[in-house]
Every structure is written in structure tokens, then in C-alpha cells.
Amino acid sequence: MGHTSVTSPRRISPRGSPPHLRRTPPKYRKVLVLKEKRSAEPEDPVMDELLLSSKLKRVDSATGCVSPRVPAVDALPSAVSVPRPAQKAPKTPYVILPACDTFEKFRKISRVSVDIGGTLIKVVYSSVMDDELPEESLNGHTRKYAYEDGKRVLVNFKKFTDLDRLIAFLKEVWTDRKSGDVIHCTGGGSYKYSEIIMKELGVRLQRTDEMRSLIFGVNFLLSTNVDESFTYHHDAIGINKFQYRPIAADLIYPFLLVNIGTGISILKVDSPTSYERVGGSSMGGGTFMGLGSLLTPAQNFDELLEMANRGDHRNVDKLVCDIYGGAYDELGLKADLIAGSMAKCNRFGEAPMKQTHKPEDIAKSLLLMVSNNIGQMAYLYGTRYNLKRIYFGGYFIRQDPITMRTLSFAINYWSKGEIEALYLKHEGYLGAMGSFLDEDGKLDD
């Protein structure tokens, strides 16, 4: 049983590469570049409202108390102001690093890390700002962010689906790179595309372990970015659907991390250095995209999500009421609970019908099917290890309301309200963030 009803060609590797990471043959590349200029993809929004906003309700994870928003100390005007050139905040999501010895080196030397997965390329790179940044980017934290000269070190987050675009972007923003510099890299693509990356950028590559990077990333963001985690509440209105759930550093562990990429990895994290992959599944984001490609005309992940948002899964899913005529009270099953995903698509033994199912409805059913199974599996692992905090990460979620509602419903339903599903603002960048921090990777020359 599942969720209740919701309305609403030159390859760069001789071994081959996913279609979205194939590179254009050189003789055609100039023509395609001109076409791209005419019909360029729109720029990413100047920061997702959820990533930037400081107006969300903040509920303490330990006490449940709502805390007031307070500006960061170093965001307040200083007694003596030194005029500096006006600069705009980055157009990509960012986090300001605490002013400390660990990160001081990034004031003079840039660092770039890349997580190349089976579907997306995620980038984390440092930059320096010497102009005042919006208070909300500090997330209301009282930690010191500015160095004595007023400079702040940022880590910026950006995603790509194409290797050429990634390389072009890094050539543009990584202007101080020189021979001998190192790019940190994780994910399966760190093996496939290492030679191309090193050749195109003229740098060396340091490969970091994927699981280690993932844990480094989530640990850092939870302990440093005070408003990193949040919960989703479908019945609330507007931005109130999201609530920040900060947690004190000494209370973070243990927790369960469900990382949803092409497949699913479930990790039990006991401390910054102690973690274990306790399970996983092959049915993750890759399943949603694969079946979506076969069954709908969607051309990419975002298009498939948009299609799901317009669909009505009740046209393809068989509900409890379709079987029993209503609720099954003896088993506590509501009438609108999904009994069989896509069960109404079954035509075996029936006369052929002219009416076909809408791709939007199929996309919605697919999303609920995958999300419901992830939610139930997460609950079972959480129960097995007696963990009350389950964080969901990976770019499958995309802060999509249907996905978050389904995961939250599944966790709440199976745990009878004892466990909450927690989400991460930088959900898709955990591996790239961890690789950025990891100093012990394997160096390729």
C-alpha cells in the first residue's frame, strides 16, 4: 500500500558515456555554439527562495521551540567603514565559510570540486567577496564570517548536465588557476573523464572517495550552515510549508542519511568519522528517469517533474476504494490509499481500448511509486537502528513538493508520527562539498 491520493557524437571515453555527457564533434561545435546563443537556456534563478530566505520559521530540533531571527554580528555596520568596490552577490546558491585558519587559504587560492554522477555534474567552488552580503546569506548565525580586512570566503554551488558547459564555466570562473593546481573530483565520472578535465583545464585531479565525500559534505553543512535542514508541511500555506530545523552540533549524531541518486544508498552516521552503508536499492532517481523516458515524451528530469505536477495518478493507480468500494477500516487503510501503482494500466484479458493514459498521469504515478518505496525503506532502516532523524539528500528530490510530501507522508505514516523526514537545502551537492573539504584524495597527474 502506498501514498494517499494527490491531485494536482564523439564520446569522451572509449568505453562510452551517458548521452547527456557526450561531446559535440569539433567540426560541428562552432555551429552549435551559435545556435545556443540564439536559443540559450535561461540562467538559473538568482537563488532559490528556499536557499536564500531568512524568513522561514525556525523550529529547534531538540526542544521544538521557535527561535527569533537575529542578524549575524559581522553583518551589522562597523564603526569605521572602508569604501570598497561595489560587487553583486553570486547568482548561484552559496554558503559563507566561517572565518578561521582552516579556510583562510581560500582567500588567496581558489578551490574547485566536482561530483560527476550518472545523471548530473555538481560543482562547488570558492570565491571571495569584499562587499557586504545580504544578512540572510549568513542564516542568522552569530559566528564570525568576515576576516580582519573585511573579506568573506564563499563556497558556491552549481549544476550541469553537459561536460562541455562545465569546462567552459570553470575556465570562466577559475581565472587564477595555473599548472600544478588541483581540482577535487568524486563520483563515477572522476574516473571516466579525468583525462579530459585535466587536459582542458591544465590542472591535476585529486580523486576523493564517493561515500567519504558524501559524509564529509553532510557533516559540514549540518554543523556549519545553521539552517541547512528543513521539514516540509503540505497543509501549510506558501513559504510556511518549509520550516528550518537547526540542531546543536553536539546533538547531530547519530542519524540516517538516505542519498537518492541514480540508485539509493542508506548510511548510518554515528560521528564525523564513523559511518556505515547499511543498505540501498537500485530503484531511485534513475528508475524514475528511465521509466519516464520510456513511458512519456519528457526530454529531461525537470520536464518529467513538471509533467508529474500536472498529472492525476488516480487515472492510472488502483486505490483501496477501487478494490473495496471505500476504506478498509479493519486494516486501517484509507479509501484513497494507493493499492497498486499503475494497476489501472493493465489490459491483459480485456478488449483493446482506444483511450490511452495521459503521460502526465503516468509521470505522477511513477514519482509516487518511487518516492513511496524510498520512504518506507528509509523508515524500516531508521527503526532497525533506532534512529529518529532521517535526512534525505541527492538531486532526485530537487525540493519538489510532490516528492517531499510523499516522503514525509510515508515516514509519518509508517512511524505513526514518531519520525520526521528532514531535507537538506544543498541536497544535491553533498558529495561535491565533501570533496571540496577532503585533503586526502588520490592524485592523478
Side-chain angles (χ1 to χ4, degrees), residues 46-78:
V46 175
M47 287 206 179
D48 200 91
E49 184 179 11
L50 181 60
L51 286 170
L52 180 62
S53 177
S54 65
K55 298 178 176 62
L56 304 190
K57 183 186 292 185
R58 180 188 286 170
V59 182
D60 187 85
S61 293
T63 65
C65 297
V66 179
S67 62
R69 312 294 311 196
V70 290
V73 171
D74 71 321
L76 299 174
S78 57

mmCIF file of all heavy atoms in Angstrom, residues 46-78:
data_model
loop_
_atom_site.group_PDB
_atom_site.id
_atom_site.type_symbol
_atom_site.label_atom_id
_atom_site.label_comp_id
_atom_site.label_asym_id
_atom_site.label_seq_id
_atom_site.Cartn_x
_atom_site.Cartn_y
_atom_site.Cartn_z
ATOM 1 N N VAL A 46 18.249 33.615 -9.502
ATOM 2 C CA VAL A 46 19.248 34.262 -8.646
ATOM 3 C C VAL A 46 19.155 33.599 -7.299
ATOM 4 O O VAL A 46 19.017 34.187 -6.528
ATOM 5 C CB VAL A 46 18.948 35.739 -8.468
ATOM 6 C CG1 VAL A 46 19.891 36.391 -7.482
ATOM 7 C CG2 VAL A 46 19.009 36.439 -9.773
ATOM 8 N N MET A 47 19.026 32.502 -7.039
ATOM 9 C CA MET A 47 18.910 31.826 -5.770
ATOM 10 C C MET A 47 17.474 31.458 -5.497
ATOM 11 O O MET A 47 16.591 32.282 -5.543
ATOM 12 C CB MET A 47 19.407 32.641 -4.597
ATOM 13 C CG MET A 47 20.854 32.742 -4.549
ATOM 14 S SD MET A 47 21.260 33.011 -2.870
ATOM 15 C CE MET A 47 22.943 33.072 -2.928
ATOM 16 N N ASP A 48 17.371 30.215 -5.273
ATOM 17 C CA ASP A 48 16.085 29.666 -4.884
ATOM 18 C C ASP A 48 15.605 30.361 -3.630
ATOM 19 O O ASP A 48 16.374 30.634 -2.736
ATOM 20 C CB ASP A 48 16.319 28.185 -4.596
ATOM 21 C CG ASP A 48 15.069 27.391 -4.648
ATOM 22 O OD1 ASP A 48 14.731 26.884 -5.710
ATOM 23 O OD2 ASP A 48 14.461 27.280 -3.615
ATOM 24 N N GLU A 49 14.339 30.645 -3.548
ATOM 25 C CA GLU A 49 13.813 31.337 -2.364
ATOM 26 C C GLU A 49 14.125 30.560 -1.095
ATOM 27 O O GLU A 49 14.450 31.122 -0.055
ATOM 28 C CB GLU A 49 12.296 31.525 -2.495
ATOM 29 C CG GLU A 49 11.680 32.321 -1.345
ATOM 30 C CD GLU A 49 10.187 32.505 -1.512
ATOM 31 O OE1 GLU A 49 9.612 31.855 -2.390
ATOM 32 O OE2 GLU A 49 9.614 33.295 -0.752
ATOM 33 N N LEU A 50 14.042 29.252 -1.195
ATOM 34 C CA LEU A 50 14.299 28.426 -0.020
ATOM 35 C C LEU A 50 15.759 28.484 0.395
ATOM 36 O O LEU A 50 16.080 28.458 1.584
ATOM 37 C CB LEU A 50 13.894 26.977 -0.301
ATOM 38 C CG LEU A 50 14.063 25.977 0.837
ATOM 39 C CD1 LEU A 50 13.220 26.402 2.026
ATOM 40 C CD2 LEU A 50 13.677 24.590 0.395
ATOM 41 N N LEU A 51 16.665 28.581 -0.597
ATOM 42 C CA LEU A 51 18.084 28.637 -0.281
ATOM 43 C C LEU A 51 18.470 29.975 0.331
ATOM 44 O O LEU A 51 19.380 30.077 1.128
ATOM 45 C CB LEU A 51 18.917 28.402 -1.541
ATOM 46 C CG LEU A 51 18.974 26.970 -2.057
ATOM 47 C CD1 LEU A 51 19.612 26.945 -3.428
ATOM 48 C CD2 LEU A 51 19.749 26.085 -1.106
ATOM 49 N N LEU A 52 17.773 31.022 -0.049
ATOM 50 C CA LEU A 52 18.172 32.355 0.362
ATOM 51 C C LEU A 52 17.383 32.891 1.545
ATOM 52 O O LEU A 52 17.896 33.638 2.361
ATOM 53 C CB LEU A 52 18.006 33.317 -0.820
ATOM 54 C CG LEU A 52 18.376 34.777 -0.597
ATOM 55 C CD1 LEU A 52 19.854 34.886 -0.244
ATOM 56 C CD2 LEU A 52 18.069 35.596 -1.831
ATOM 57 N N SER A 53 16.119 32.515 1.635
ATOM 58 C CA SER A 53 15.227 33.169 2.584
ATOM 59 C C SER A 53 15.643 33.006 4.029
ATOM 60 O O SER A 53 16.091 31.953 4.456
ATOM 61 C CB SER A 53 13.805 32.613 2.420
ATOM 62 O OG SER A 53 12.946 33.188 3.371
ATOM 63 N N SER A 54 15.490 34.076 4.793
ATOM 64 C CA SER A 54 15.732 34.014 6.231
ATOM 65 C C SER A 54 14.412 34.169 6.968
ATOM 66 O O SER A 54 14.378 34.403 8.169
ATOM 67 C CB SER A 54 16.696 35.128 6.651
ATOM 68 O OG SER A 54 16.096 36.395 6.440
ATOM 69 N N LYS A 55 13.319 34.097 6.244
ATOM 70 C CA LYS A 55 12.019 34.357 6.852
ATOM 71 C C LYS A 55 11.270 33.087 7.224
ATOM 72 O O LYS A 55 10.142 33.139 7.696
ATOM 73 C CB LYS A 55 11.160 35.192 5.890
ATOM 74 C CG LYS A 55 11.747 36.562 5.581
ATOM 75 C CD LYS A 55 10.878 37.319 4.597
ATOM 76 C CE LYS A 55 11.415 38.726 4.357
ATOM 77 N NZ LYS A 55 12.758 38.718 3.763
ATOM 78 N N LEU A 56 11.863 31.946 6.980
ATOM 79 C CA LEU A 56 11.186 30.709 7.328
ATOM 80 C C LEU A 56 11.152 30.523 8.837
ATOM 81 O O LEU A 56 12.048 30.945 9.558
ATOM 82 C CB LEU A 56 11.892 29.502 6.698
ATOM 83 C CG LEU A 56 12.083 29.501 5.178
ATOM 84 C CD1 LEU A 56 12.576 28.137 4.737
ATOM 85 C CD2 LEU A 56 10.818 29.891 4.458
ATOM 86 N N LYS A 57 10.101 29.875 9.295
ATOM 87 C CA LYS A 57 10.007 29.557 10.718
ATOM 88 C C LYS A 57 11.130 28.604 11.096
ATOM 89 O O LYS A 57 11.414 27.642 10.383
ATOM 90 C CB LYS A 57 8.665 28.900 11.031
ATOM 91 C CG LYS A 57 8.455 28.596 12.512
ATOM 92 C CD LYS A 57 7.174 27.808 12.728
ATOM 93 C CE LYS A 57 5.956 28.641 12.414
ATOM 94 N NZ LYS A 57 4.705 27.907 12.731
ATOM 95 N N ARG A 58 11.780 28.855 12.212
ATOM 96 C CA ARG A 58 12.878 28.001 12.656
ATOM 97 C C ARG A 58 12.439 27.254 13.909
ATOM 98 O O ARG A 58 12.108 27.866 14.918
ATOM 99 C CB ARG A 58 14.124 28.836 12.949
ATOM 100 C CG ARG A 58 15.311 28.005 13.408
ATOM 101 C CD ARG A 58 16.446 28.878 13.880
ATOM 102 N NE ARG A 58 17.131 29.505 12.773
ATOM 103 C CZ ARG A 58 18.037 30.467 12.926
ATOM 104 N NH1 ARG A 58 18.320 30.915 14.120
ATOM 105 N NH2 ARG A 58 18.637 30.996 11.881
ATOM 106 N N VAL A 59 12.418 25.946 13.836
ATOM 107 C CA VAL A 59 11.989 25.123 14.956
ATOM 108 C C VAL A 59 13.164 24.284 15.437
ATOM 109 O O VAL A 59 13.701 23.472 14.678
ATOM 110 C CB VAL A 59 10.814 24.202 14.560
ATOM 111 C CG1 VAL A 59 10.344 23.393 15.763
ATOM 112 C CG2 VAL A 59 9.677 25.025 13.981
ATOM 113 N N ASP A 60 13.582 24.466 16.680
ATOM 114 C CA ASP A 60 14.729 23.742 17.214
ATOM 115 C C ASP A 60 14.448 22.252 17.244
ATOM 116 O O ASP A 60 13.411 21.808 17.733
ATOM 117 C CB ASP A 60 15.063 24.237 18.623
ATOM 118 C CG ASP A 60 16.345 23.624 19.145
ATOM 119 O OD1 ASP A 60 17.420 24.158 18.843
ATOM 120 O OD2 ASP A 60 16.265 22.596 19.848
ATOM 121 N N SER A 61 15.379 21.459 16.705
ATOM 122 C CA SER A 61 15.170 20.017 16.610
ATOM 123 C C SER A 61 15.116 19.335 17.963
ATOM 124 O O SER A 61 14.478 18.305 18.124
ATOM 125 C CB SER A 61 16.289 19.385 15.757
ATOM 126 O OG SER A 61 16.193 19.804 14.424
ATOM 127 N N ALA A 62 15.796 19.890 18.940
ATOM 128 C CA ALA A 62 15.853 19.248 20.254
ATOM 129 C C ALA A 62 14.672 19.628 21.132
ATOM 130 O O ALA A 62 14.093 18.789 21.813
ATOM 131 C CB ALA A 62 17.162 19.615 20.949
ATOM 132 N N THR A 63 14.282 20.905 21.117
ATOM 133 C CA THR A 63 13.249 21.384 22.043
ATOM 134 C C THR A 63 11.909 21.641 21.389
ATOM 135 O O THR A 63 10.895 21.706 22.059
ATOM 136 C CB THR A 63 13.719 22.683 22.718
ATOM 137 O OG1 THR A 63 13.850 23.699 21.716
ATOM 138 C CG2 THR A 63 15.061 22.471 23.404
ATOM 139 N N GLY A 64 11.902 21.841 20.064
ATOM 140 C CA GLY A 64 10.662 22.180 19.393
ATOM 141 C C GLY A 64 10.299 23.643 19.499
ATOM 142 O O GLY A 64 9.253 24.070 19.022
ATOM 143 N N CYS A 65 11.164 24.430 20.142
ATOM 144 C CA CYS A 65 10.881 25.852 20.330
ATOM 145 C C CYS A 65 11.187 26.643 19.057
ATOM 146 O O CYS A 65 12.131 26.345 18.341
ATOM 147 C CB CYS A 65 11.715 26.411 21.477
ATOM 148 S SG CYS A 65 11.336 25.674 23.081
ATOM 149 N N VAL A 66 10.383 27.665 18.819
ATOM 150 C CA VAL A 66 10.619 28.551 17.689
ATOM 151 C C VAL A 66 11.535 29.666 18.144
ATOM 152 O O VAL A 66 11.284 30.336 19.155
ATOM 153 C CB VAL A 66 9.298 29.145 17.169
ATOM 154 C CG1 VAL A 66 9.553 30.087 16.009
ATOM 155 C CG2 VAL A 66 8.344 28.030 16.757
ATOM 156 N N SER A 67 12.651 29.874 17.439
ATOM 157 C CA SER A 67 13.618 30.888 17.844
ATOM 158 C C SER A 67 13.516 32.105 16.947
ATOM 159 O O SER A 67 13.191 31.987 15.764
ATOM 160 C CB SER A 67 15.039 30.314 17.785
ATOM 161 O OG SER A 67 15.357 29.944 16.466
ATOM 162 N N PRO A 68 13.767 33.308 17.493
ATOM 163 C CA PRO A 68 13.713 34.521 16.673
ATOM 164 C C PRO A 68 14.890 34.604 15.720
ATOM 165 O O PRO A 68 15.942 34.041 15.974
ATOM 166 C CB PRO A 68 13.769 35.641 17.712
ATOM 167 C CG PRO A 68 14.523 35.040 18.848
ATOM 168 C CD PRO A 68 14.131 33.582 18.875
ATOM 169 N N ARG A 69 14.700 35.309 14.638
ATOM 170 C CA ARG A 69 15.780 35.537 13.699
ATOM 171 C C ARG A 69 16.645 36.683 14.201
ATOM 172 O O ARG A 69 16.142 37.710 14.628
ATOM 173 C CB ARG A 69 15.236 35.926 12.325
ATOM 174 C CG ARG A 69 14.129 35.036 11.814
ATOM 175 C CD ARG A 69 14.606 33.642 11.538
ATOM 176 N NE ARG A 69 15.811 33.640 10.755
ATOM 177 C CZ ARG A 69 16.264 32.572 10.129
ATOM 178 N NH1 ARG A 69 15.625 31.443 10.201
ATOM 179 N NH2 ARG A 69 17.374 32.632 9.443
ATOM 180 N N VAL A 70 17.945 36.511 14.188
ATOM 181 C CA VAL A 70 18.835 37.595 14.595
ATOM 182 C C VAL A 70 19.929 37.746 13.558
ATOM 183 O O VAL A 70 20.446 36.771 13.049
ATOM 184 C CB VAL A 70 19.492 37.321 15.977
ATOM 185 C CG1 VAL A 70 18.461 37.406 17.073
ATOM 186 C CG2 VAL A 70 20.163 35.958 15.997
ATOM 187 N N PRO A 71 20.292 38.983 13.193
ATOM 188 C CA PRO A 71 21.351 39.162 12.207
ATOM 189 C C PRO A 71 22.685 38.733 12.750
ATOM 190 O O PRO A 71 22.927 38.793 13.952
ATOM 191 C CB PRO A 71 21.321 40.664 11.905
ATOM 192 C CG PRO A 71 20.632 41.284 13.069
ATOM 193 C CD PRO A 71 19.715 40.248 13.649
ATOM 194 N N ALA A 72 23.559 38.290 11.871
ATOM 195 C CA ALA A 72 24.906 37.902 12.282
ATOM 196 C C ALA A 72 25.651 39.133 12.760
ATOM 197 O O ALA A 72 25.469 40.241 12.264
ATOM 198 C CB ALA A 72 25.651 37.268 11.117
ATOM 199 N N VAL A 73 26.545 38.942 13.749
ATOM 200 C CA VAL A 73 27.266 40.055 14.342
ATOM 201 C C VAL A 73 28.049 40.832 13.307
ATOM 202 O O VAL A 73 28.021 42.050 13.260
ATOM 203 C CB VAL A 73 28.220 39.525 15.448
ATOM 204 C CG1 VAL A 73 29.133 40.633 15.919
ATOM 205 C CG2 VAL A 73 27.419 38.963 16.598
ATOM 206 N N ASP A 74 28.752 40.111 12.411
ATOM 207 C CA ASP A 74 29.600 40.824 11.476
ATOM 208 C C ASP A 74 28.817 41.421 10.314
ATOM 209 O O ASP A 74 29.359 42.106 9.483
ATOM 210 C CB ASP A 74 30.720 39.918 10.936
ATOM 211 C CG ASP A 74 30.180 38.860 9.991
ATOM 212 O OD1 ASP A 74 29.085 38.340 10.284
ATOM 213 O OD2 ASP A 74 30.843 38.585 8.987
ATOM 214 N N ALA A 75 27.491 41.172 10.294
ATOM 215 C CA ALA A 75 26.678 41.787 9.262
ATOM 216 C C ALA A 75 26.206 43.170 9.679
ATOM 217 O O ALA A 75 25.653 43.916 8.896
ATOM 218 C CB ALA A 75 25.472 40.909 8.941
ATOM 219 N N LEU A 76 26.394 43.500 10.991
ATOM 220 C CA LEU A 76 25.999 44.809 11.475
ATOM 221 C C LEU A 76 27.016 45.854 11.052
ATOM 222 O O LEU A 76 28.193 45.558 10.866
ATOM 223 C CB LEU A 76 25.885 44.767 13.014
ATOM 224 C CG LEU A 76 24.851 43.779 13.568
ATOM 225 C CD1 LEU A 76 24.956 43.746 15.089
ATOM 226 C CD2 LEU A 76 23.452 44.174 13.142
ATOM 227 N N PRO A 77 26.606 47.110 10.896
ATOM 228 C CA PRO A 77 27.551 48.141 10.465
ATOM 229 C C PRO A 77 28.687 48.302 11.447
ATOM 230 O O PRO A 77 28.491 48.276 12.655
ATOM 231 C CB PRO A 77 26.684 49.408 10.408
ATOM 232 C CG PRO A 77 25.269 48.942 10.447
ATOM 233 C CD PRO A 77 25.263 47.602 11.106
ATOM 234 N N SER A 78 29.880 48.477 10.949
ATOM 235 C CA SER A 78 31.036 48.687 11.815
ATOM 236 C C SER A 78 31.219 50.174 12.053
ATOM 237 O O SER A 78 30.699 51.019 11.332
ATOM 238 C CB SER A 78 32.288 48.100 11.151
ATOM 239 O OG SER A 78 32.475 48.685 9.889
#
